[in-house]
């Protein structure tokens, strides 16, 4: 009987030793299913009974395994390329195209719809449009004929705040406008700064105007009613801030002698170049079209 007990004890010791040398027992606690994260435990032996009773184990948490889904946006590459494809499709499939004519010139624009009340616009207007606003203007007492070659690319936003035909627009123009001017004599004289100069002595006075702003913000209000499933018309009024004006005026022969009579009745002389300089100063003081009026009409085709 003693031999049987000794044999049983020896077997229990050997079994517990083998258990210690074996790989840890892994216990998975799936009671935290609500968080969709399983907890992994390693089981370690805490006691061995010499009477060969079943071995008890105490579970301790093991280092958490990396969760491949934690904080990861699924199919990120697909989302990026999908977004790019959507942007590309939007760019090559605009909501509308329009043709226009107005004070900025003859042109066209393309619009992309952001939502039912907002569109982005990109367009260009230009050409010789001097005749559209009269073809001449007065700078104090001198009348000038105008020859213009406009180039006005622009980008902006067109809003329909009430969701109907009424529109409001805002954006920026990149003006590159050539404005050439020629002074007209009246009664044989150029009247500059209250002084009459003999036109025959002065000769031709010609020059150019350039606005200082390289970027000109603009704002408009208008209407855009639809006249069919795809077609519509529009009209807009507003202004663009072109900035102050730089002027250049040249005389045909700047050294020629010009006779004039001052306010006291004295007969005096100057040069045609001096008369041109005075005319140039008047033009800059005029700030011709510093706030450039925007008036345009056109037709729209919606896709």
């Amino acid at each position: 009987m003693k031999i049987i007990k000794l044999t049983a004890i020896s077997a229990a010791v050997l079994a517990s030793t083998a258990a210690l040398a074996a790989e840890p027992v892994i216990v998975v606690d799936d009671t935290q299913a609500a968080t969709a994260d399983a907890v992994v435990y390693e089981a370690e032996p805490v006691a061995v009974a010499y009477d060969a009773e079943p071995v008890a184990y105490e579970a301790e948490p093991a280092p958490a395994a990396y969760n491949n889904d934690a904080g990861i946006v699924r199919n990120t590459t697909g989302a990026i390329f999908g977004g790019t494809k959507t942007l590309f499709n939007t760019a090559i499939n605009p909501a509308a195209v329009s043709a226009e004519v107005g004070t900025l010139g003859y042109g066209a624009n393309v619009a992309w719809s952001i939502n039912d009340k907002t569109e982005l616009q990109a367009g260009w207007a230009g050409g010789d449009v001097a005749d559209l606003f009269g073809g001449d203007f007065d700078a104090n007492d001198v009348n000038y004929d105008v020859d213009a070659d406009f180039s006005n690319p622009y980008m902006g936003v067109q809003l329909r705040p009430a969701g109907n035909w009424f529109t409001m627009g805002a954006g920026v123009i990149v003006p590159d406008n050539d404005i050439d001017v020629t002074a007209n004599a009246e009664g044989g004289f150029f009247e500059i700064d209250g002084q009459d100069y003999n036109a025959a002595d002065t000769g031709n006075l010609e020059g150019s105007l350039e606005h200082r702003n390289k970027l000109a913000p603009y704002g408009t209000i208008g209407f855009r009613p639809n006249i069919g499933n795809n077609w519509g018309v529009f009209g807009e009024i507003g202004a663009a801030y072109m900035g102050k004006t730089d002027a250049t005026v040249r005389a045909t022969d700047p050294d020629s002698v010009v006779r004039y009579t001052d306010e006291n009745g004295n007969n005096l002389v100057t040069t045609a170049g001096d008369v041109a300089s005075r005319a140039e100063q008047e033009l800059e003081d005029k700030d011709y079209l510093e706030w450039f009026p925007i008036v345009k009409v056109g037709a729209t085709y919606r896709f």
Side-chain angles (χ1 to χ4, degrees):
M1 196 67 181
K2 267 179 143 187
I3 293 174
I4 293 173
K5 285 186 178 182
L6 288 174
T7 302
I9 291 172
S10 299
V13 172
L14 289 174
S16 61
T17 303
L20 289 174
E23 291 292 332
V25 177
I26 304 300
V27 179
V28 178
D29 182 3
D30 58 358
T31 59
Q32 301 186 29
T35 62
D37 290 325
V39 179
V40 179
Y41 297 95
E42 287 184 9
E44 296 182 0
V46 295
V48 177
Y50 286 98
D51 58 358
E53 293 293 329
V55 180
Y57 292 90
E58 181 179 326
E60 293 184 3
Y66 178 70
N67 184 353
N68 290 325
D69 294 328
I72 304 276
V73 177
R74 293 184 180 275
N75 197 16
T76 304
T77 305
I80 293 174
F81 280 95
T84 305
K85 183 177 180 181
T86 301
L87 178 62
F88 178 75
N89 288 337
T90 300
I92 64 174
N93 293 286
V97 294
S98 301
E100 64 183 60
V101 59
T103 52
L104 290 174
Y106 309 89
N109 67 64
V110 182
W112 294 269
S113 179
I114 302 301
N115 53 47
D116 58 348
K117 294 183 179 181
T118 309
E119 286 182 345
L120 295 180
Q121 284 187 340
W124 178 91
D128 185 358
V129 296
D131 290 338
L132 292 176
F133 48 88
D136 67 338
F137 72 98
D138 293 327
N140 294 335
D141 297 317
V142 180
N143 178 264
Y144 289 90
D145 287 332
V146 180
D147 183 21
D149 184 13
F150 280 9
S151 177
N152 291 295
Y154 62 89
M155 293 188 67
V157 178
Q158 193 73 229
L159 302 174
R160 294 176 183 260
N164 57 14
W165 55 265
F166 175 71
T167 63
M168 299 175 64
V172 64
I173 301 170
V174 186
D176 183 14
N177 300 323
D178 296 327
I179 305 173
D180 296 326
V181 296
T182 302
N184 296 314
E186 294 185 5
F189 294 91
F190 292 113
E191 186 178 349
I192 300 172
D193 196 20
Q195 183 65 58
D196 290 336
Y197 298 95
N198 188 292
D201 294 341
T202 305
N204 291 333
L205 294 177
E206 299 178 345
S208 60
L209 300 174
E210 182 179 2
H211 292 102
R212 296 177 185 175
N213 282 7
K214 303 305 179 186
L215 294 175
Y218 73 85
T220 62
I221 59 172
F223 65 94
R224 288 179 174 263
N226 294 325
I227 58 175
N229 290 334
N230 300 102
W231 290 96
V233 294
F234 68 90
E236 293 179 36
I237 60 172
Y241 183 68
M242 296 288 188
K244 294 187 178 295
T245 304
D246 290 326
T248 302
V249 177
R250 303 169 298 276
T252 305
D253 181 2
D255 296 324
S256 66
V257 176
V258 178
R259 294 164 293 175
Y260 69 98
T261 301
D262 68 10
E263 59 184 7
N264 297 320
N266 299 316
N267 294 321
L268 303 172
V269 296
T270 187
T271 64
D274 182 61
V275 176
S277 295
R278 296 183 185 186
E280 181 179 295
Q281 186 60 53
E282 272 199 343
L283 274 178
E284 289 194 348
D285 291 343
K286 169 77 172 178
D287 279 334
Y288 176 65
L289 298 180
E290 178 180 1
W291 283 95
F292 196 95
I294 296 176
V295 179
K296 61 182 176 180
V297 295
T300 297
Y301 181 83
R302 295 194 171 278
F303 297 101

